[in-house]
Amino acid sequence: MGRRDVHLRSGATYVIGARDAISETGFRGRIVGHGATLKFAYAGPWSETSSAINGLRDVTLRDLSITAPDANLFSVFRDCTNLRLEHVTVYACSPKLTYALPRDFSAHRIRWTSQGDDPEVLDGSLYVPDAGRFSLTDFDYDAGFNGRTGAIVSAVATRTAPGATVHVSNGRAFTADLPGHSADGFIDIEPVGATPLDHVTIRDVVLYNTSCYLTGARNITVDNCTFVYTANNASGRAIPFVVYNNNVVKPPLGALNVRDCRVEWTAGNPADQKIGVMTYQSHPGAVVRFTDNSYHFDPAGGQVAQDLYWVKDGAPAIMVIRGDAILDAGDLAESQAMIRTDSTVGRLLVRDMSVSGTFARKLRAGATGGGGDGHLVVFESNDFTGATFTGPDSVESGVTLNRQHSADNAGIEY
């Protein structure tokens, strides 16, 4: 058919009631909506293979709205290559927006909104393709979320091809801070198989009441992002950075860099929501760096206090915390430690931190996640004058810290 533009009638609503209504048409080009709406209304039997638009290549949808209230579809788009969404509004979308994309996807100036009469199930989530580039820029997710997947951007089932990348920037999610506007993960990078993504970048994003799952890439950078947890947090936690991959076969993590980010818990964050900075599991050998981040913690009475930086098992080879500021942490004396390593980090370097609040201890080196030898532990040039640690640092049997150095006037006991 060649490349061409299809123009929809301004303000019109096009109802698509069939499964596989548009499938491998050969059309390439742009569908320009001029403010029109595509409404997907399939009501037949549900299946994980049910989608409305399949197999398109090199197609751009621009200046239109997409809605699928109670549509009995698994996703709106499936098996589409180089699909682009520009100036698109999504509302009342029960299925996923995209799924099982072989290669390349971009969305620019996409808005998820609530129209006030939302269906029981709200999803509209995006799938990270197996190959090529995933790009989400200038976005706003301002609707409820309770779909079949736990994340707005999901790479849980992605079988990564060499060179695949993820770029997310200049957006926000759940910032209206309303009931139901919360999700387990804003982004969930948990690819399956042995090949990692080449790089993942999350930059200039504001997120309320959700987390980022970050694994399976040679390099992950989270830069200048804000995380806020409020009374409407129903995500199950208030931990912005989760390093975890549930797949049996999973790619290695090369490096995770978190810098210039801000995390805030408000006083209304529910007491049953677990709190912390990072949990880390099952990615041995990585390099993890936290640089110049700030955390304003205001835990609720009875808050479930976890360790702030917690390595559970499969420890990184190097973990560097430099310039992070923990502000007004309140009373976290029931936590295990500010830094907890159940699996021993090869080189743990903590420098130029500023800490205020009450904690159980600075460091707990435990053996429940494997223990082992730590080649170097350094605490240096930190400001702990505003902090209270109710107990000494602890090193359990089964853990050897070969070299320790402390230049902090607060005194670290090994």
Side-chain angles (χ1 to χ4, degrees):
M1 294 181 62
R3 293 185 178 273
R4 64 190 183 94
D5 287 354
V6 172
H7 292 266
L8 305 182
R9 184 159 55 89
S10 177
T13 296
Y14 296 81
V15 179
I16 301 171
R19 170 182 169 174
D20 300 326
I22 302 173
S23 181
E24 299 181 7
T25 63
F27 167 79
R28 299 188 180 193
R30 297 192 309 167
I31 299 174
V32 183
H34 301 289
T37 298
L38 299 181
K39 182 176 182 179
F40 298 91
Y42 172 69
W46 185 88
S47 165
E48 288 191 359
T49 62
S50 295
S51 298
I53 299 177
N54 296 292
L56 296 185
R57 297 177 59 88
D58 302 325
V59 171
T60 299
L61 284 82
R62 179 182 176 87
D63 190 23
L64 52 78
S65 295
I66 294 173
T67 185
D70 299 317
N72 220 13
L73 298 165
F74 188 76
S75 64
V76 175
F77 297 94
R78 186 185 185 98
D79 196 29
C80 295
T81 299
N82 194 22
L83 175 67
R84 298 179 296 274
L85 305 179
E86 300 176 356
H87 302 256
V88 168
T89 298
V90 180
Y91 68 93
C93 187
S94 295
K96 303 173 187 294
L97 190 59
T98 67
Y99 188 70
L101 305 184
R103 184 180 189 90
D104 293 323
F105 170 83
S106 68
H108 176 67
R109 295 191 65 183
I110 183 171
R111 305 288 184 264
W112 290 263
T113 66
S114 175
Q115 301 293 325
D117 187 21
D118 291 325
E120 182 178 351
V121 176
L122 282 170
D123 196 320
S125 59
L126 301 174
Y127 173 87
V128 173
D130 295 339
R133 176 178 170 86
F134 173 94
S135 176
L136 173 62
T137 58
D138 192 358
F139 65 92
D140 186 0
Y141 195 106
D142 191 15
F145 184 84
N146 60 359
R148 294 184 178 91
T149 183
I152 296 168
V153 176
S154 178
V156 172
T158 298
R159 293 187 175 275
T160 309
T165 64
V166 173
H167 178 84
V168 178
S169 67
N170 191 29
R172 57 188 188 175
F174 305 127
T175 55
D177 191 20
L178 296 172
H181 289 218
S182 182
D184 180 22
F186 161 70
I187 186 168
D188 192 348
I189 305 296
E190 292 187 55
V192 63
T195 304
L197 290 153
D198 194 60
H199 64 261
V200 174
T201 302
I202 305 170
R203 178 173 288 124
D204 303 328
V205 172
V206 179
L207 304 174
Y208 274 54
N209 299 324
T210 190
S211 303
C212 292
Y213 286 72
L214 304 167
T215 67
R218 290 187 172 87
N219 186 73
I220 299 176
T221 298
V222 185
D223 183 19
N224 192 37
C225 294
T226 299
F227 299 80
V228 182
Y229 297 96
T230 75
N232 290 310
N233 182 20
S235 68
R237 61 182 55 83
I239 304 172
F241 311 110
V242 180
V243 179
Y244 173 78
N245 190 324
N246 190 49
N247 293 301
V248 175
V249 179
K250 48 185 173 281
L253 172 64
L256 169 63
N257 299 283
V258 178
R259 62 194 184 211
D260 296 316
C261 292
R262 295 155 299 281
V263 180
E264 179 180 359
W265 303 333
T266 69
N269 181 45
D272 62 346
Q273 303 300 283
K274 297 176 181 179
I275 57 179
V277 173
M278 175 193 72
T279 60
Y280 189 102
Q281 289 182 260
S282 303
H283 285 80
V287 177
V288 176
R289 295 185 179 91
F290 284 82
T291 308
D292 296 333
N293 306 290
S294 65
Y295 312 98
H296 187 282
F297 297 146
D298 191 359
Q303 191 85 55
V304 182
Q306 290 191 318
D307 313 274
L308 298 189
Y309 307 84
W310 187 1
V311 177
K312 296 184 177 182
D313 59 69
I318 301 172
M319 188 163 81
V320 181
I321 303 171
R322 183 158 199 161
D324 277 16
I326 298 176
L327 310 171
D328 301 325
D331 186 0
L332 295 178
E334 298 304 315
S335 66
Q336 295 289 331
M338 186 177 73
I339 300 171
R340 176 177 172 181
T341 58
D342 293 342
S343 176
T344 308
V345 178
R347 295 165 61 89
L348 174 62
L349 311 175
V350 183
R351 293 188 170 104
D352 303 317
M353 284 193 75
S354 175
V355 180
S356 175
T358 300
F359 305 86
R361 54 184 61 85
K362 297 183 202 72
L363 173 66
R364 175 190 171 185
T368 57
D373 292 345
H375 300 296
L376 178 65
V377 176
V378 172
F379 276 71
E380 189 172 58
S381 303
N382 300 296
D383 182 2
F384 293 137
T385 56
T388 298
F389 298 94
T390 60
D393 297 332
S394 62
V395 180
E396 295 182 2
S397 176
V399 178
T400 301
L401 302 181
N402 293 316
R403 296 172 57 203
Q404 307 115 46
H405 171 68
S406 172
D408 293 322
N409 57 14
I412 296 178
E413 300 180 32
Y414 294 107

